[in-house]
Amino acid sequence: MTTSERNGVKSPGMVDWIAVVKTAEAEQALPKMGAELERAGWKPAQVEGNVLTYRKSGWSLLASSLPGGGDMPRVPEGSSMIQLSAHQLDGDEG
């Protein structure tokens, strides 16, 4: 699922992508996504566990993996949600 619209408000400076996959696949996917982002010219800004942050050309991108069950009842047990969120930075950041 992707969207540039949150709560009914269009925002071309923001894009989200969400997928639900088996947890073992999510654990492997996040480092692979980070490597691909770096190959595409994104610069790592911060890496903390299951959260990666990158910057490129006035944009910031956050990649994360969250396990299902417990705090996330809509994600089945044994699965994880992978989320990429990109937003355009204000001013000359990035």
Side-chain angles (χ1 to χ4, degrees):
M1 179 178 85
T2 68
T3 182
S4 62
E5 188 172 321
R6 284 192 175 172
N7 300 323
V9 177
K10 290 188 183 225
S11 180
M14 183 177 293
V15 178
D16 290 327
W17 177 85
I18 300 170
V20 175
V21 298
K22 293 183 179 178
T23 297
E25 293 173 11
E27 290 170 357
Q28 295 173 9
L30 204 57
K32 288 180 182 179
M33 288 189 315
E36 287 299 321
L37 288 167
E38 289 182 37
R39 274 194 278 279
W42 288 84
K43 303 290 181 212
Q46 186 176 2
V47 176
E48 287 187 23
N50 291 344
V51 178
L52 311 174
T53 306
Y54 291 86
R55 293 206 171 158
K56 179 181 178 183
S57 302
W59 283 80
S60 177
L61 185 141
L62 177 103
S64 62
S65 172
L66 303 166
D71 293 337
M72 296 187 54
R74 291 188 176 188
V75 177
E77 199 69 45
S79 295
S80 291
M81 179 181 76
I82 295 177
Q83 179 175 9
L84 294 175
S85 296
H87 69 275
Q88 202 164 21
L89 299 168
D90 294 329
D92 292 326
E93 298 177 60

